[in-house]
């Protein structure tokens, strides 16, 4: 469907854009001015391109209002919206430029919480969350291959039913922890074999996915956030090789380099730390992490003052 407009109509629409853009000229914060003026240009371009109806604009306002109403300390509908639009992954891409063999980043997601418990190397981060035990180990290195000791490694994941602890009704903490890499850069812990789960889809974002025939499912994954002084913070996941949803992750988070083998082991097979598996099968995965230097280390000249 095409809609042609007269030169007079086009001029009126263009004049409005210029007036609104000019209204931000007085902003004392240069970056804020750039952001607001570009936002206005792109928003108006969208409205004009689709010839947005007033009914559609009201529906959009109602959608955002619902997203606000369902959002609280434990439910963040706007992050979900950003995720399913691919906006979160685009922001990740823009802010994590490829550097040597540094590990790729992916979406942060809405389920991280500060102050997760500290565990020692080899301890269990499940804290009673249900699921199949998984031994996860690897190293943290820089892009020259030097080990990074003392890197803070945050890990969090859903239980076998697809729920994070923040979705439990009893407020307990489970399936999340932080640990530190050892002197040789190594780390290891017990977690759960990740399983696929749907993003919360009982709100406006779920209704939108339903309306367009998209699945809310996320490919099975285990979240990592790795920080060390002098290095770029890495926010990423590892994905389970063979998961059905690798090709259609609802938030576009999958990257080939982050798909890892979770090797299956029979219950009788000895575990790396001698732990008793109580007759249950278990898995193991390896994830070697490479951190890029912090931005001011990549471009030392930017530290110089003019
Ligand atoms: Fe997740």
């Amino acid at each position: 469907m095409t809609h042609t407009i007269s030169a007079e109509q086009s001029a009126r629409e263009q004049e409005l854009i210029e007036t609104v853009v000019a209204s931000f000229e007085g902003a004392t914060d240069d970056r804020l001015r750039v952001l607001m003026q570009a936002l206005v240009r792109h928003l108006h371009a969208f409205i004009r391109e689709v010839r947005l109806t007033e009914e559609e604009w009201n529906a959009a306002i109602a959608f955002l209002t619902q997203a606000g109403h369902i959002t609280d300390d434990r439910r963040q509908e706007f992050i979900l919206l950003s995720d399913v639009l691919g906006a979160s992954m685009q922001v990740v891409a823009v802010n994590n430029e490829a550097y040597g063999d540094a590990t790729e980043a992916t979406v942060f997601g809405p389920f991280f919480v500060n102050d997760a418990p500290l565990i020692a190397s080899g301890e269990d981060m499940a804290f009673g969350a249900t699921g199949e035990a998984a031994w996860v180990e690897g190293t943290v290195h820089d892009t020259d291959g030097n080990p990074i000791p003392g890197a803070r490694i945050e890990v969090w994941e859903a239980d076998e039913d697809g729920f994070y602890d923040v979705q439990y009704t009893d407020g307990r903490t489970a399936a999340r922890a932080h640990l530190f890499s050892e002197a040789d850069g190594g780390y290891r812990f017990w977690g759960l074999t990740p399983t696929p789960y749907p993003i919360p889809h009982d709100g406006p974002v779920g209704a939108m996915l339903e309306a367009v025939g998209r699945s809310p499912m996320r490919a099975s994954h285990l979240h990592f956030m790795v920080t060390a002084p002098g290095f770029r913070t890495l926010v990423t996941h590892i994905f389970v090789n063979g998961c059905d949803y690798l090709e259609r992750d609802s938030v576009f988070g999958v990257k080939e380099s982050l798909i890892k083998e979770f090797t299956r082991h029979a219950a009788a097979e000895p575990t790396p730390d001698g732990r008793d598996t109580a007759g249950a099968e278990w898995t193991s995965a390896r994830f070697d992490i490479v951190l890029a230097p912090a931005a001011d280390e990549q471009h030392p000249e930017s530290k110089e003052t003019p």
Side-chain angles (χ1 to χ4, degrees), residues 101-105 135-143 145-148 151 153 181 184-189 222 224 226 234 236-239 256-262 284-292:
D101 61 346
T103 303
E104 290 191 271
W135 174 260
V136 181
E137 65 181 356
T139 55
V140 185
H141 278 84
D142 66 18
T143 50
N146 304 306
I148 303 174
I153 304 169
S181 58
D184 64 354
Y187 74 90
R188 66 215 82 236
F189 63 92
L222 169 58
F224 279 77
V226 186
L234 173 67
T236 195
H237 319 338
I238 53 173
F239 295 90
E256 193 68 33
S257 68
L258 300 175
I259 300 173
K260 304 296 175 189
E261 199 64 46
F262 277 71
S284 63
R286 180 168 191 91
F287 179 35
D288 292 319
I289 296 163
V290 180
L291 297 184

Side-chain angles (χ1 to χ4, degrees), residues 108-111 156-158 164 197 218 221 223 237:
F108 192 50
F111 298 121
W156 67 105
E157 64 178 322
Y164 285 82
Y197 68 84
R218 291 230 48 212
H221 62 271
H223 291 264
H237 319 338

Side-chain angles (χ1 to χ4, degrees), residues 137-195:
E137 65 181 356
T139 55
V140 185
H141 278 84
D142 66 18
T143 50
D144 294 324
N146 304 306
I148 303 174
R152 182 181 176 120
I153 304 169
E154 300 270 357
V155 288
W156 67 105
E157 64 178 322
D159 65 19
E160 66 180 348
D161 297 317
F163 292 109
Y164 285 82
D165 57 358
V166 294
Q167 297 172 292
Y168 297 165
T169 51
D170 59 7
R172 71 185 192 278
T173 295
R176 69 177 71 243
H178 73 278
L179 64 161
F180 293 92
S181 58
E182 297 169 355
D184 64 354
Y187 74 90
R188 66 215 82 236
F189 63 92
W190 280 103
L192 303 172
T193 310
T195 56

